[in-house]
Amino acid sequence: MLKGIAASKGYAIGKISIMTHQELTIDESTCESVELELTALKDAVVNSKEQLQALRVKTAENIGEHEAMVFDSHMMFLDDPEFVGAMEEAIQSEMKRAASAVEQVKLFFKNMFAQMDNAYMRERAADIVDVSNRIIKNILGISSEVNDLPENTIIVAHDLTPSDTAQLDKSKVIGFLTDIGGVTSHSAIMARSLEICAVVGMGDITSTVKNGMECIIDGIKGEVILSPDQETLEEYKSLAEAYRKKRIELKKYKDLKLAYKDGREILVAGNIGSVKDLDSVIENGADGIGLFRTEFVFMDRDVAPTEDEQFEIYKTVAERMSGKPVVIRTLDIGGDKQIPYLHLEQEMNPFLGLRAIRLCFKYEDMFKAQIKALLRAGVFGDVNIMLPMIGTIDEIRQAKKIIEKCKNELKEEGIPFKADTPVGIMIEIPAAAIAADILADEVDFFSIGTNDLIQYTLAVDRMNSNISHLYNPMNVSVLRLIEMSIKAAHKAGIWCGMCGEMAGDLRVTKTLLEMGLDEFSMSGSSILDVKELIYNELK
Ligand code: PEP
Ligand code: MG
């Protein structure tokens, strides 16, 4: 039995699949047979089409028609005689191997699209890269999908990036184990959203296990049992069954409206990173969305999404929440969330570096596209804009100026938007909590980001499993900062929520209620447990 950090609750009983990142190594030597290379290319194009067709259907079913449309444009490229023809030409005239011919044509078209004036066409560069890499992988016999996996798979990896986690198919992957990471690393947060059981910070699990090994994950205790005997297997099967029953029993709290004794309502909301996460949040009876981490919308692509693309996503979220409050946070890139196409400098301390709002001020056009999309989505629901990593009043004022600029541009463009969209901030830097009374006058709401607030207050890296015992939500300094923020918000007549993982931590729910927190926002999987506890505390 091995021990790690329990990152996402539940039990998983399945077989291990070790995930490693495979680089595409392309042989640039001349080929021996043009015919064979042409056939390899042709087969790879046919396979790619079949995969894309299947992905299209699956994405439309699981995520949405709009998200599925990206695969239409990929398939269009495969039908384009100029695109595939250029690959055949490179094989025939330059004796290139199929994969190297695809790589050459990919770079040519990518650069051509990237230089176009029209933003829509520029963004097709990402599709070119994506579809070309799929053909190359098919030629080289490398699987494109994380999800070409049997049912009941337990993924083992050194680390999973948030985008690896986002791609996991819940119908196949029932759990994951990683060498590194902590409870508030973003892959752990996503595991909770996806309701996939996970234990992280396991040290060296990758070299301890073998592919196909039987494994049990106890996501409650943070324990892992390899090659269990029959008796242990039976014991965990009944634990898993009891857990499943408890989840069903908790459903009775789904539509419960909670309030303090004085009638002030308490919202238990959900955190999401994509439209896909909405299902779990809605199923578990969220009173709204307290945090949409929009940076995930910017990942797994080669260029940033356009204003229109973002608008469609934010509108979908607003509409699906049917008038309930939806707090959408502007981009929080940096820290453990990186976006390759921004080519950001490597920093010594990325969590203290060019991150979130600081980065948005540097890339103002990208920020403006997001703000405009958010203002437009406000027409379709109760959208609230939230600014991350605010440390000073100047940052709020600078962001508000940009928001005003965006409103003026939308007005000139004649595009409908919600002019009085509320603007709030995250309280996740100690400086913001200490000056909460000053900042409260500038904004419409606060949401406390305890994941960062704890790490910055205690100087304990939230990702580092070596010091996870020091990462203590119950630390008096942390609790004082939280209380100060809630008090300052109420004094200024605004609401204060919490969207860090602490909002779903049952050990502190009572304390947060005593402080008068207005909104608790967490992964879908924790909502009902928190609703049950609040109900019992206040009844
Ligand atoms: C937080 O810091 O608590 C938070 C909610 O933001 P993130 O986890 O995305 O940094
Ligand atoms: Mg944060």
Side-chain angles (χ1 to χ4, degrees):
M1 196 249 282
L2 306 168
K3 237 182 136 38
I5 300 167
S8 181
K9 282 184 293 198
Y11 298 93
I13 303 172
K15 287 211 168 117
I16 282 174
S17 174
I18 304 173
M19 191 167 136
T20 46
H21 282 283
Q22 232 164 339
E23 291 289 319
L24 294 181
T25 332
I26 294 171
D27 183 352
E28 294 293 349
S29 62
T30 51
C31 71
E32 279 125 41
S33 157
V34 168
E35 279 318 305
L36 281 181
E37 298 303 321
L38 285 175
T39 312
L41 174 65
K42 199 167 146 222
D43 290 348
V45 170
V46 171
N47 285 340
S48 301
K49 259 191 220 171
E50 283 170 6
Q51 289 161 359
L52 287 166
Q53 188 58 44
L55 260 180
R56 198 211 179 284
V57 173
K58 200 164 102 187
T59 310
E61 275 170 12
N62 296 345
I63 309 180
E65 183 58 26
H66 178 75
E67 286 77 7
M69 269 157 48
V70 61
F71 300 115
D72 290 334
S73 57
H74 287 199
M75 284 187 273
M76 258 162 53
F77 284 120
L78 294 178
D79 284 329
D80 183 346
E82 242 190 272
F83 184 57
V84 180
M87 297 170 188
E88 291 165 346
E89 174 66 25
I91 296 175
Q92 282 162 331
S93 61
E94 299 172 47
M95 297 284 288
K96 279 196 165 283
R97 289 176 188 272
S100 141
V102 180
E103 179 71 11
Q104 175 173 301
V105 172
K106 169 180 105 177
L107 294 179
F108 172 79
F109 278 97
K110 178 188 159 194
N111 292 336
M112 188 176 96
F113 277 96
Q115 281 160 21
M116 289 187 179
D117 286 336
N118 178 311
Y120 176 81
M121 295 308 282
R122 265 201 313 276
E123 275 145 30
R124 301 288 64 77
D127 295 325
I128 289 282
V129 172
D130 219 352
V131 75
S132 306
N133 286 345
R134 179 176 294 280
I135 307 175
I136 295 174
K137 284 181 185 167
N138 276 317
I139 294 169
L140 301 177
I142 298 173
S143 164
S144 277
E145 321 299 338
V146 193
N147 296 319
D148 283 351
L149 295 165
E151 282 182 8
N152 296 331
T153 292
I154 290 173
I155 298 274
V156 172
H158 177 63
D159 187 21
L160 285 177
T161 63
S163 62
D164 290 332
T165 317
Q167 281 183 60
L168 298 178
D169 177 352
K170 253 181 81 170
S171 66
K172 307 280 173 58
V173 178
I174 54 168
F176 71 74
L177 307 169
T178 55
D179 289 340
I180 62 171
V183 182
T184 61
S185 59
H186 282 94
S187 46
I189 291 172
M190 293 184 73
R192 289 192 285 277
S193 287
L194 292 165
E195 300 192 57
I196 291 176
C197 167
V199 178
V200 300
M202 296 216 53
D204 198 14
I205 182 86
T206 33
S207 45
T208 316
V209 297
K210 296 220 162 25
N211 270 323
M213 211 176 218
E214 293 240 24
C215 169
I216 296 174
I217 306 182
D218 180 337
I220 294 165
K221 290 197 191 139
E223 290 173 359
V224 173
I225 298 156
L226 298 173
S227 308
D229 57 28
Q230 199 54 34
E231 195 187 328
T232 315
L233 212 50
E234 292 307 323
E235 181 195 333
Y236 274 90
K237 272 187 191 160
S238 53
L239 278 173
E241 182 53 20
Y243 182 75
R244 196 186 63 81
K245 281 202 182 127
K246 168 80 182 161
R247 307 300 318 155
I248 295 174
E249 195 196 307
L250 281 173
K251 292 276 177 202
K252 67 174 181 239
Y253 296 103
K254 192 176 157 196
D255 299 317
L256 193 71
K257 296 282 162 266
L258 296 160
Y260 284 106
K261 293 253 157 58
D262 63 3
R264 192 161 49 91
E265 69 173 0
I266 305 168
L267 297 187
V268 184
N271 290 352
I272 60 168
S274 70
V275 172
K276 197 161 103 177
D277 295 340
L278 274 176
D279 290 339
S280 148
V281 160
I282 293 171
E283 257 168 48
N284 286 301
D287 300 321
I289 299 295
L291 168 65
F292 179 1
R293 289 185 167 91
T294 59
E295 46 282 3
F296 294 111
V297 172
F298 285 67
M299 288 180 182
D300 271 332
R301 346 175 10 120
D302 284 329
V303 284
T306 58
E307 177 190 318
D308 283 347
E309 279 177 273
Q310 292 186 63
F311 162 66
E312 290 295 338
I313 293 170
Y314 306 149
K315 174 175 171 246
T316 305
V317 175
E319 284 180 337
R320 284 201 55 200
M321 290 312 292
S322 336
K324 290 179 179 161
V326 171
V327 177
I328 306 185
R329 180 174 75 183
T330 59
L331 267 178
D332 180 6
I333 296 166
D336 63 335
K337 291 171 288 195
Q338 293 299 331
I339 291 186
Y341 54 81
L342 289 184
H343 305 291
L344 297 175
E345 249 175 64
Q346 285 262 343
E347 294 178 305
M348 283 272 266
N349 292 300
F351 275 103
L352 300 181
L354 186 64
R355 186 187 161 188
I357 195 80
R358 305 165 179 180
L359 186 115
C360 284
F361 289 152
K362 183 166 172 193
Y363 292 87
E364 195 176 308
D365 283 348
M366 191 170 75
F367 188 44
K368 275 172 62 192
Q370 177 168 48
I371 297 287
K372 286 166 91 174
L374 290 169
L375 291 167
R376 288 168 60 189
V379 176
F380 299 88
D382 183 4
V383 172
N384 299 263
I385 297 177
M386 178 156 74
L387 308 168
M389 292 284 290
I390 292 290
T392 67
I393 197 160
D394 292 341
E395 285 166 338
I396 301 178
R397 291 184 176 153
Q398 191 176 346
K400 279 169 58 176
K401 247 188 224 157
I402 297 173
I403 296 172
E404 281 314 304
K405 237 194 263 177
C406 291
K407 288 182 190 169
N408 289 335
E409 287 181 19
L410 287 171
K411 222 179 276 169
E412 272 166 31
E413 292 160 25
I415 300 174
F417 65 98
K418 186 161 180 266
D420 56 353
T421 302
V423 177
I425 56 169
M426 298 219 27
I427 302 284
E428 53 185 342
I429 297 180
I434 294 164
D437 55 335
I438 301 171
L439 306 187
D441 289 335
E442 294 283 324
V443 295
D444 299 309
F445 63 92
F446 284 166
S447 183
I448 306 172
T450 50
N451 304 339
D452 281 315
L453 187 64
I454 297 170
Q455 79 164 345
Y456 295 139
T457 305
L458 303 178
V460 174
D461 180 351
R462 64 193 263 190
M463 307 280 290
N464 188 338
S465 46
N466 296 325
I467 46 169
S468 58
H469 59 287
L470 298 175
Y471 189 90
N472 178 14
M474 265 88 77
N475 175 281
V476 62
S477 309
V478 172
L479 293 175
R480 278 188 181 170
L481 291 178
I482 292 172
E483 188 168 33
M484 280 166 68
S485 307
I486 299 173
K487 274 197 180 141
H490 291 168
K491 193 152 177 234
I494 62 172
W495 62 269
C496 181
M498 177 179 286
C499 59
E501 293 306 297
M502 199 167 152
D505 185 338
L506 299 173
R507 296 170 304 169
V508 288
T509 312
K510 189 166 177 254
T511 309
L512 297 174
L513 287 170
E514 281 161 8
M515 292 180 185
L517 191 71
D518 298 283
E519 178 233 39
F520 297 67
S521 191
M522 63 206 70
S523 339
S525 58
S526 301
I527 292 175
L528 291 172
D529 296 286
V530 172
K531 278 199 172 186
E532 180 190 42
L533 185 56
I534 296 180
Y535 172 76
N536 287 330
E537 279 298 328
L538 298 179
K539 74 179 176 196

